[in-house]
Amino acid sequence: MMTARHIVYLIMSVLLTGCISSQPFPNGVVEAQPTPTPSIRAPKVGQEWVYRVRNVFNQEIVDTVTEKVVSVGEQIRISRVGIKAGPLPDEIQSPWGFVIQDPHWSPPQKFTSAIPIWPEQLKANWNGFYRTRYQVLGHPDGSFYWGVNVNSYQWERISVTAGEFLTLKYQNEMPYFESQDVFRVANYREDLLWLSPEVGRWVIRRSYGRYITPGVYWANAYWEDYLEWELISWK
């Protein structure tokens, strides 16, 4: 189910791109809560997910990124490499399902305490709020507030290039976090994800961020990247 906020931002993306066609919104088929509730696939060295990354505003392929589990233990380390970008910072979870180093946003973040990367309960209409602080990866001289609302919506069966999957659709919302950029006075980020327990990761992830500087109002807020990650293969 699309929220009013999602509809607003889809309209805004059309206005910003003019006649350039934007990336269609993922359209899944709503499913009932599965019984028993599925468990997320446990991590093993060698598991791999390949994503095609598109600019939502104009459908341009930004990169193709391969994410691979390279170590499992007290920490689960996922290496990442893009065809265009080359080696990317690792993702680190500790334990599985809780992220301690998150390279998804720019710049990559290292949290002072791990936070859930997907809903702790794989149920529709579940929510939780988590707060921590983060350091910019490679810059341990400062820390910044980070808070995230996790809201699961519903189960959906959705088709992507890698196949058809039963997924839990959920949102991560990060309002009013602190940025390392001193010129930003307010910040907002949002993720919309379709998580497949079978795959052990999301099959679609849509992410965007907005921010304002002194003298700028939210109506004219600046955009960060608006990207969609689509799973094209996995093992």
Side-chain angles (χ1 to χ4, degrees), residues 24-152:
F25 192 84
N27 186 23
V29 177
V30 178
E31 297 273 357
Q33 173 73 37
T35 305
T37 301
S39 298
I40 298 289
R41 181 174 70 146
K44 286 186 177 180
V45 172
Q47 288 177 351
E48 182 179 282
W49 307 270
V50 181
Y51 293 95
R52 181 182 296 124
V53 187
R54 290 185 183 272
N55 182 329
V56 172
F57 290 133
N58 59 16
Q59 299 192 41
E60 176 189 1
I61 297 176
V62 176
D63 208 343
T64 300
V65 176
T66 298
E67 302 183 327
K68 186 174 184 177
V69 177
V70 293
S71 66
V72 174
E74 183 179 345
Q75 294 185 338
I76 297 94
R77 184 175 290 270
I78 299 173
S79 71
R80 305 164 62 253
V81 62
I83 289 178
K84 295 181 181 179
L88 297 165
D90 291 350
E91 177 183 307
I92 301 174
Q93 298 186 34
S94 181
W96 185 232
F98 288 75
V99 66
I100 195 75
Q101 180 171 297
D102 190 352
H104 183 71
W105 298 104
S106 180
Q109 301 162 292
K110 186 174 183 179
F111 296 113
T112 56
S113 58
I115 56 174
I117 201 167
W118 50 67
E120 291 191 79
Q121 297 183 30
L122 301 184
K123 297 179 180 180
N125 301 314
W126 181 90
N127 63 81
F129 175 73
Y130 308 88
R131 61 168 60 89
T132 185
R133 297 186 70 83
Y134 73 94
Q135 296 174 335
V136 173
L137 192 61
H139 296 274
D141 52 338
S143 70
F144 309 93
Y145 168 78
W146 184 259
V148 55
N149 290 300
V150 181
N151 298 287
S152 63

Side-chain angles (χ1 to χ4, degrees), residues 214-231:
V216 176
Y217 296 96
W218 278 110
N220 297 312
Y222 298 106
W223 285 87
E224 296 181 328
D225 291 333
Y226 193 176
L227 302 176
E228 179 178 292
W229 298 60
E230 180 194 1
L231 187 71

